[in-house]
């Protein structure tokens, strides 16, 4: 038999995740500090470029509601249809 559609059980093979450490500044600017992991070569840098191209983010707030710098891990999910 010949199948022309992808097997739904293998659909997850088309997803890749990259994790990066970022700093969101009180001003809303985002700095990518490091690529922590990537499922495939180059996807970490693609995640880095996407974050840089996203512009300013909403400023993180402390307990008193004041803008503050925050360091966190951000995950990019890259999906392909082939």
């Amino acid at each position: 038999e010949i199948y022309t559609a992808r097997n739904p059980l293998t659909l997850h093979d088309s997803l890749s995740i990259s994790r990066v450490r970022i700093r969101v500044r009180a001003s809303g600017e985002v700095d990518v500090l490091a690529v922590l992991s990537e499922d495939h070569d180059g996807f970490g840098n693609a995640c880095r470029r996407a974050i840089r191209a996203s512009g300013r983010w909403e400023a993180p707030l402390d307990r008193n509601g004041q803008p503050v710098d925050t360091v966190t891990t951000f995950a990019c999910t890259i999906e392909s249809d082939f």
Side-chain angles (χ1 to χ4, degrees), residues 3-82:
Y3 294 97
T4 56
R6 284 194 68 162
N7 179 342
L9 297 177
T10 62
L11 185 60
H12 68 276
D13 292 342
S14 65
L15 292 177
S16 294
I17 298 175
S18 299
R19 288 181 177 77
V20 294
R21 174 78 61 200
I22 63 171
R23 176 185 296 119
V24 183
R25 296 188 181 272
S27 64
E29 295 176 55
V30 180
D31 301 319
V32 179
L33 304 176
V35 174
L36 302 177
S37 66
E38 58 186 351
D39 288 352
H40 300 284
D41 288 341
F43 284 179
N45 283 329
C47 182
R48 182 190 304 250
R49 287 191 304 273
I51 291 170
R52 285 186 180 148
S54 69
R56 288 188 182 273
W57 291 26
E58 188 172 320
L61 303 176
D62 66 12
R63 292 180 189 174
N64 297 320
Q66 299 300 310
V68 63
D69 288 3
T70 300
V71 175
T72 189
T73 300
F74 186 84
C76 294
T77 303
I78 300 170
E79 182 176 358
S80 62
D81 291 333
F82 55 90

